[in-house]
């Protein structure tokens, strides 16, 4: 007999907080919004929550208070979101790099790294000015350095999905497939399926 966890009608996100991680331009917000529609659970953009809590934009937070203050706010906001009901949370690219935040995500959510190559990240972030880290010098150089620094850490996510130049719908489908495979294994009590 098929267990509830393996039933094809079971919706993989409805009892879980799913956290999307990855570099700027990986498509976390776009893909997250589509996933939330498909899984019928709320979508939360952590960057927007940080801005709402601060009452100003991320660019202004960096300019007026510095990156450290932004990171403090981001850590607090994500901790609050992880105490909330099931949702899809798109995090800012630095969130999962923070050790405390990464540990909390590991405890309370299922993490998905949207892995993208440098060209994809450069093209998806070009012509936008709302990311302070990319405004100071050549974005390709900055993104390349961030790939070196951060990819080994994003690799700690529960699920890794390559995005490449695929559109958000394709990536969304791929993430949901990967989660449907993954969630029964991590969320089902090992004794419940014992035969
Ligand atoms: C950052 C990524 C941004 C935003 C902030 C810092 C980072 O979010 O949180 O500008 O450190 O990578 P996105 O990844 O959504 O662009």
């Amino acid at each position: 007999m098929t267990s509830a966890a393996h039933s094809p009608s079971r919706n993989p996100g409805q009892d879980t907080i799913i956290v999307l991680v990855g570099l700027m331009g990986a498509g976390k917000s776009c893909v997250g919004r589509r996933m939330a529609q498909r899984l019928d659970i709320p979508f939360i953009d952590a960057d927007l929550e940080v801005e709402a809590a601060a009452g100003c934009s991320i660019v202004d937070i960096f300019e007026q208070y510095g990156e450290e203050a932004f990171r403090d706010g981001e850590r607090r906001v994500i901790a609050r979101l992880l105490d909330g009901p099931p949702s899809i949370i798109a995090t800012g690219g630095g969130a999962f790099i923070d050790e405390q935040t990464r540990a909390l995500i590991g405890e309370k959510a299922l993490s998905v790294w949207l892995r993208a190559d440098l060209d994809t990240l450069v093209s998806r972030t070009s012509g936008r000015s709302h990311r302070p880290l990319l405004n100071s010098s050549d974005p390709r150089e900055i993104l390349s350095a961030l790939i070196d620094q951060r990819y080994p850490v994003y690799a700690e996510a529960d699920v890794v999905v390559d995005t490449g130049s695929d559109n958000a719908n394709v990536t969304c489908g791929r993430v949901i497939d990967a989660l449907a495979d993954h969630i029964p294994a991590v969320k089902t009590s090992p004794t419940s399926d014992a035969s």
Side-chain angles (χ1 to χ4, degrees):
M1 203 172 78
T2 313
S3 74
H6 291 87
S7 159
S9 63
R10 183 174 181 272
N11 183 334
Q14 276 177 342
D15 54 4
T16 312
I17 295 179
I18 297 167
V19 174
L20 300 180
V21 308
L23 264 187
M24 298 171 274
K28 300 172 299 263
S29 300
C30 270
V31 171
R33 256 187 218 101
R34 280 169 180 74
M35 286 175 64
Q37 277 166 5
R38 296 255 294 260
L39 300 176
D40 196 24
I41 58 174
F43 169 74
I44 302 171
D45 187 317
D47 279 346
L48 296 183
E49 294 289 321
V50 174
E51 289 183 329
C56 62
S57 70
I58 290 178
V59 169
D60 287 341
I61 302 173
F62 269 68
E63 265 175 27
Q64 291 175 28
Y65 308 104
E67 179 170 351
E68 209 39 55
F70 168 75
R71 298 295 171 199
D72 286 346
E74 182 176 52
R75 195 179 302 114
R76 279 197 301 274
V77 163
I78 292 178
R80 166 172 61 78
L81 298 176
L82 290 169
D83 269 338
S87 61
I88 309 278
I89 302 173
T91 57
F96 197 67
I97 305 306
D98 181 270
E99 212 174 320
Q100 211 173 310
T101 298
R102 192 163 67 255
L104 261 192
I105 292 173
E107 205 181 295
K108 301 187 170 184
L110 193 64
S111 51
V112 180
W113 173 22
L114 296 185
R115 180 169 59 190
D117 57 80
L118 179 60
D119 285 342
T120 301
L121 297 171
V122 171
S123 93
R124 290 218 193 108
T125 53
S126 73
R128 318 282 307 271
S129 57
H130 67 288
R131 295 182 173 101
L133 293 184
L134 299 183
N135 293 342
S136 55
S137 61
D138 178 39
R140 172 175 284 273
E141 273 175 28
I142 295 168
L143 285 165
S144 172
L146 288 174
I147 284 177
D148 291 344
Q149 289 164 23
R150 293 182 176 179
Y151 275 22
V153 182
Y154 294 142
E156 294 180 29
D158 297 307
V159 174
V160 181
V161 173
D162 283 308
T163 64
S165 54
D166 298 317
N167 70 38
N169 279 327
V170 172
T171 305
C172 170
R174 211 178 283 150
V175 174
I176 288 173
D177 286 349
L179 288 172
D181 284 347
H182 198 78
I183 285 181
V186 296
K187 296 291 169 192
T188 307
S189 152
T191 54
S192 65
D193 258 0
S195 53

